Amino acid sequence: MKILVLGGAGYIGSHTVSELIDAGEQVVIVDNLETGHIEAVHEKAKFYKGDIRDREFVDSVFENEKIDGVIHFAANSLVGESMTNPLKYYDNNLNGTKVLLQSMVAHGVDKIVFSSTAATYGEPESIPILETDKTEPTNAYGETKLSMEKMMKWTGVAHGLKYVALRYFNACGAHVNGHIGEAHNPETHLIPLILQVPNGQREAISIFGDDYDTKDGTCVRDYIHVTDLAQAHILAMKYLAAGNESNVFNLGNGVGFTVKEVIETARKVTGHPIPAVVSPRRSGDPAKLIASSEKAKSVLGWKPQHDDLEEIIATAWNWHKNHPNGFAK
Ligand code: UDP
């Protein structure tokens, strides 16, 4: 198949491109390189630099390439920024997806796998979280991702487009080959921030609140390796190619770790004492997020391969210690 990967120069996008190419698929990447990195563009993929809000540009890609299916990562994804600049999120995430879907409909491309998020649920009613649980996002980022899912649903009703939305929990780790990994600027995610300490870029890691109702008072999250997420996109595209109906799947390991446990595991992996300082809670952080991924396992046949936190952090450390400034030289 020829797959168009939007946002293929970003963190999860570049890992998915790598798995697609290893699986023998043809890949076309579109990325505006606002948060993606040219160095992360796979040498075997065809690359178009451009913005999905630009209808002429998107049309030209569909006209030049005979695309069988789209995998859509091209969006802004910082919760904090979405609260201070929500209209940026409505513009890029929603307007971008609208233009993309218009162009897909016009060019008869009817399959899309979509990068969604656990942030669509908001504060969970029960743990583990099921796909049928209520969706009440507590931030603008989650709200735009949920609206993107709904835009695909109604486009499907009207025009026959089929979609799979993959709701990720905490993406982390790096490719085992050490060539690609996480590189956000600014970095806000726990594991890369922890690893800045043994890398000599930060004195200590802040623990955002230790008075939550959890086993050690710190927040619990479900950490899932980026290559396992990447594999799920391939399975989802196969699922659509086999003629199945649109669907939504959670992707997580189904195991929760506290912030303190993650720091302790990073100490073990790096051999560094990694000092930690308790600071105030970060607003909008639910105490506990753990996925039920039973549906992805039974329907898609997904099976995470890197489900050990120590191994996940070791892949991240292998990337960060050799690329302390990400892709920058
Ligand atoms: N966290 C923390 N210190 C940091 C960054 C994050 O204690 O410097 C906590 C954060 O409050 C959350 C967990 O680590 O409970 C994971 O945060 P991250 O931003 O990585 O992912 P999120 O769960 O927000 O998607």
Side-chain angles (χ1 to χ4, degrees), residues 190-320:
L190 180 64
I191 292 174
L193 287 174
I194 292 174
L195 295 175
Q196 286 180 358
V197 182
N199 246 354
Q201 297 163 304
R202 174 179 294 273
E203 291 289 306
I205 182 72
S206 296
I207 296 174
F208 295 154
D210 68 348
D211 56 352
Y212 286 94
D213 183 16
T214 60
K215 65 178 175 183
D216 63 17
T218 65
C219 287
V220 171
R221 292 289 180 275
D222 183 337
Y223 294 89
I224 177 79
H225 195 274
V226 62
T227 301
D228 286 326
L229 291 180
Q231 286 296 344
H233 293 76
I234 298 179
L235 293 169
M237 187 53 80
K238 284 189 180 149
Y239 165 93
L240 290 177
N244 290 297
E245 287 305 310
S246 294
N247 219 329
V248 178
F249 299 97
N250 287 340
L251 298 178
N253 273 315
V255 182
F257 290 96
T258 66
V259 172
K260 284 186 177 170
E261 286 172 333
V262 176
I263 297 170
E264 197 48 50
T265 308
R267 288 180 179 133
K268 199 169 160 198
V269 168
T270 62
H272 188 284
I274 311 182
V277 182
V278 176
S279 15
R281 289 183 175 197
R282 184 172 70 178
S283 78
D285 268 346
K288 221 176 184 186
L289 293 174
I290 302 174
S292 165
S293 302
E294 292 312 311
K295 189 175 163 191
K297 288 177 182 162
S298 63
V299 178
L300 297 178
W302 183 59
K303 195 172 177 307
Q305 301 294 317
H306 306 273
D307 56 356
D308 175 64
L309 185 63
E310 206 176 309
E311 184 202 336
I312 292 176
I313 294 180
T315 65
W317 179 229
N318 180 44
W319 160 254
H320 288 291

Side-chain angles (χ1 to χ4, degrees), residues 84-268:
T84 53
N85 195 358
L87 297 179
K88 173 175 175 178
Y89 281 67
Y90 276 81
D91 180 41
N92 192 24
N93 296 4
L94 278 175
N95 187 27
T97 301
K98 180 203 75 180
V99 172
L100 166 69
L101 294 179
Q102 285 172 329
S103 187
M104 285 178 69
V105 169
H107 293 88
V109 179
D110 63 356
K111 288 182 268 306
I112 180 165
V113 175
F114 169 57
S115 156
S116 190
T117 168
T120 53
Y121 294 107
E123 193 68 49
E125 282 175 315
S126 55
I127 296 287
I129 299 170
L130 294 165
E131 290 84 352
T132 46
D133 286 357
K134 75 165 185 351
T135 45
E136 276 179 22
T138 51
N139 53 64
Y141 163 63
E143 189 74 51
T144 58
K145 286 275 173 163
L146 186 60
S147 302
M148 289 154 89
E149 287 188 10
K150 289 185 176 165
M151 207 189 290
M152 290 176 201
K153 172 181 139 182
W154 294 113
T155 306
V157 170
H159 302 288
L161 173 121
K162 297 281 192 283
Y163 75 96
V164 166
L166 299 174
R167 293 179 178 161
Y168 319 146
F169 283 64
N170 286 61
C172 55
H175 199 294
V176 289
N177 71 12
H179 296 159
I180 46 174
E182 195 165 3
H184 297 115
N185 189 17
E187 189 50 75
T188 62
H189 295 109
L190 180 64
I191 292 174
L193 287 174
I194 292 174
L195 295 175
Q196 286 180 358
V197 182
N199 246 354
Q201 297 163 304
R202 174 179 294 273
E203 291 289 306
I205 182 72
S206 296
I207 296 174
F208 295 154
D210 68 348
D211 56 352
Y212 286 94
D213 183 16
T214 60
K215 65 178 175 183
D216 63 17
T218 65
C219 287
V220 171
R221 292 289 180 275
D222 183 337
Y223 294 89
I224 177 79
H225 195 274
V226 62
T227 301
D228 286 326
L229 291 180
Q231 286 296 344
H233 293 76
I234 298 179
L235 293 169
M237 187 53 80
K238 284 189 180 149
Y239 165 93
L240 290 177
N244 290 297
E245 287 305 310
S246 294
N247 219 329
V248 178
F249 299 97
N250 287 340
L251 298 178
N253 273 315
V255 182
F257 290 96
T258 66
V259 172
K260 284 186 177 170
E261 286 172 333
V262 176
I263 297 170
E264 197 48 50
T265 308
R267 288 180 179 133
K268 199 169 160 198

